[in-house]
Amino acid sequence: MIGVFLVDDHELVRRGLGDLIDRTPGMKVVGEAATAHQALGRIEACRPDVVVLDVQLPDGNGIDLCRDIRSRTDIPCIILTAFDDEESVQAAVLAGAGAFALKTVTGRRLIEDIRAVSSGRVLLMTTPRTRFSEAQLGDREDPRMGALGIRERQVLDGIADGLTNREIGRKLSLAEKTVKNYVSSLLLKLGMTSRTQAALFRRDHMG
């Protein structure tokens, strides 16, 4: 069951999204909020699998909220907005969003995006609607790094240092099995199949 948390200041929008999600087999809404302030505490309490959030919020914006969520947890986020502009897409990439969708998106497509990001996929770099390329990031951080949570980055650093899962676990006070799960997750998000690829990627993006 994929648990989804909704963040939007319009009750009707939340209800519409909630009905769509709750009618979908294997998916349910586990919480919702109308402001960024409400969202952070509630998300940490109910630990959803995916957060769907609006860009425009009464006390801030969804991009900053996404960044806060990704800095505290490994929960993927989908940015939902009425505005299709390159600046917002770029900001979403750098904030670590898993997908960027317009509010005109079909219900079926949104459900597909929720399923995809819940499994660790990052759609921002592959969907035509974003019209966003890696070259546009210039010297900024590779967006794939932004998709990683804090623990995944720490584990990636350990891989780059040539540490085994057991050594990484000892360093981070994590069980070896937990480290193994983080390795699998980060490889999936980076689109890689080996620790060697991940180590070389991290060394190329040190800083």
Side-chain angles (χ1 to χ4, degrees):
M1 182 67 68
I2 300 173
V4 182
F5 193 99
L6 303 175
V7 185
D8 196 296
D9 59 327
H10 294 98
E11 182 183 359
L12 288 179
V13 173
R14 296 199 308 274
R15 284 188 180 183
L17 290 173
D19 288 344
L20 171 67
I21 292 166
D22 286 337
R23 290 198 311 267
T24 302
M27 199 174 290
K28 67 176 181 179
V29 174
V30 296
E32 60 180 61
T35 67
H37 178 72
Q38 291 175 350
L40 279 176
R42 295 178 185 179
I43 288 169
E44 291 184 331
C46 68
R47 300 294 300 184
D49 298 296
V50 178
V51 177
V52 178
L53 60 158
D54 189 14
V55 168
Q56 301 295 331
L57 297 171
D59 58 344
N61 68 73
I63 301 294
D64 291 337
L65 178 57
C66 174
R67 185 178 296 106
D68 287 342
I69 293 169
R70 297 293 296 166
S71 69
R72 299 184 187 199
T73 74
D74 293 327
I75 301 171
C77 299
I78 295 177
I79 302 291
L80 194 60
T81 179
F83 306 101
D84 182 19
D85 63 277
E86 296 296 342
E87 184 177 349
S88 293
V89 177
Q90 181 173 348
V93 172
L94 297 174
F100 184 94
L102 294 176
K103 286 189 173 180
T104 54
V105 68
T106 64
R108 179 178 179 181
R109 181 55 183 269
L110 181 61
I111 292 298
E112 290 175 353
D113 284 358
I114 290 173
R115 287 201 178 102
V117 299
S118 72
S119 67
R121 290 178 57 196
V122 178
L123 306 180
L124 282 161
M125 299 302 292
T126 57
T127 50
R129 68 173 177 269
T130 65
R131 303 189 311 281
F132 192 82
S133 67
E134 192 168 338
Q136 288 175 283
L137 289 173
D139 295 329
R140 300 191 188 187
E141 180 178 81
D142 189 296
R144 288 174 293 179
M145 284 296 292
L148 303 182
I150 293 175
R151 282 300 194 191
E152 289 170 327
R153 288 187 181 222
Q154 292 173 333
V155 170
L156 180 58
D157 287 341
I159 292 174
D161 290 337
L163 302 180
T164 64
N165 287 350
R166 179 172 298 180
E167 291 170 334
I168 294 172
R170 190 179 300 120
K171 182 177 179 180
L172 300 178
S173 299
L174 297 173
E176 186 176 355
K177 183 178 180 180
T178 301
V179 174
K180 184 177 180 181
N181 290 337
Y182 277 125
V183 172
S184 298
S185 175
L186 71 88
L187 288 177
L188 184 64
K189 290 181 179 180
L190 295 176
M192 298 174 183
T193 58
S194 73
R195 294 169 71 95
T196 300
Q197 287 178 309
L200 291 174
F201 171 82
R202 183 66 186 104
R203 289 169 188 171
D204 287 340
H205 296 82
M206 287 294 186

